Amino acid sequence: MSATATTFLVSFSPILIGVFLGAMVSIIPIVIDTAKSNWKKRFRQQLRSAIHKEILTFEDMEHIAERWNQDRKAVLLSLRVLHSEALSGEDPELTKHCDAIRILLSRHQAREPYAELPENISLQLSRLSEISGTTDTIAQLASSLSELYSSNQREIVEQKKYSFWGFVIGIVGVLLSVPGLYISLRA
């Protein structure tokens, strides 16, 4: 190896290490997100299978949700997806069990009335409805908060995507500039 190449590697090794570490750190959220979505799919598949066999109870669903590490919001979403598939006829076998899905949905909503909201807000709204007895006003407030919360969550996801792709473009820019620096130092 020539002296110029050695000098180049010594002077740019921190940059290369930084690029490598940055790439590794940026991959971690992708792997976590992929694992979470895979677990949601597996949870939904097990619910679908148990519904088809007509053996699923609400308590069984809670145990399956714990096994797949699904929170109350993910359980509600999965039940709503299964319900929409049953109503639309996407899964003809599931359509036969639409009433069972409705029962699971109503039991989940009775136990977790504001599951689409963060848990601390859900608890406060439940207490307010118990104290005041005006469930219509609380339901309207919950609906407004739910819309606000879901729009904020969409914005956060969008910002994460922008940050990730900006980081990737930055890494590509650094990687493309390194050969140019090598060539200019060599000349």
Side-chain angles (χ1 to χ4, degrees):
M1 195 180 262
S2 68
T4 308
T6 304
T7 306
F8 172 76
L9 286 176
V10 169
S11 63
F12 288 105
S13 63
I15 293 173
L16 295 176
I17 292 170
V19 168
F20 176 74
L21 289 176
M24 296 310 290
V25 167
S26 66
I27 289 174
I28 290 172
I30 295 171
V31 170
I32 291 171
D33 187 49
T34 303
K36 284 181 181 179
S37 67
N38 186 32
W39 282 37
K40 285 180 184 178
K41 286 180 189 176
R42 292 293 312 263
F43 171 67
R44 201 171 296 138
Q45 286 172 348
Q46 285 192 345
L47 284 183
R48 180 180 281 116
S49 177
I51 290 170
H52 285 188
K53 294 176 185 175
E54 299 180 3
I55 58 173
L56 185 67
T57 65
F58 184 75
E59 290 75 20
D60 293 334
M61 183 187 69
E62 288 180 325
H63 292 299
I64 295 169
E66 284 182 32
R67 189 271 179 241
W68 290 106
N69 198 25
Q70 300 297 300
D71 61 0
R72 57 200 183 87
K73 185 176 179 178
V75 171
L76 178 64
L77 177 65
S78 292
L79 286 172
R80 285 180 174 169
V81 168
L82 291 175
H83 186 247
S84 68
E85 288 176 3
L87 290 177
S88 69
E90 288 178 35
D91 184 349
E93 184 66 26
L94 200 59
T95 302
K96 298 174 189 174
H97 306 290
C98 198
D99 290 334
I101 298 170
R102 283 188 189 114
I103 291 169
L104 291 172
L105 262 170
S106 65
R107 291 231 14 225
H108 182 69
Q109 288 177 331
R111 182 171 279 179
E112 301 285 344
Y114 308 110
E116 64 274 357
L117 293 169
E119 190 169 3
N120 59 346
I121 294 173
S122 173
L123 290 172
Q124 295 301 323
L125 288 174
S126 294
R127 285 189 191 134
L128 277 175
S129 64
E130 288 172 5
I131 292 170
S132 69
T134 56
T135 56
D136 291 339
T137 306
I138 302 297
Q140 290 173 352
L141 176 62
S143 176
S144 298
L145 287 173
S146 178
E147 286 179 29
L148 180 64
Y149 180 72
S150 62
S151 68
N152 284 340
Q153 291 301 311
R154 283 191 298 271
E155 287 178 21
I156 288 171
V157 167
E158 190 174 308
Q159 291 300 321
K160 284 181 180 180
K161 286 179 185 177
Y162 288 145
S163 297
F164 171 75
W165 287 111
F167 182 74
V168 168
I169 290 170
I171 288 175
V172 169
V174 168
L175 291 175
L176 290 176
S177 65
V178 168
L181 288 171
Y182 177 72
I183 291 170
S184 67
L185 286 174
R186 197 162 182 210

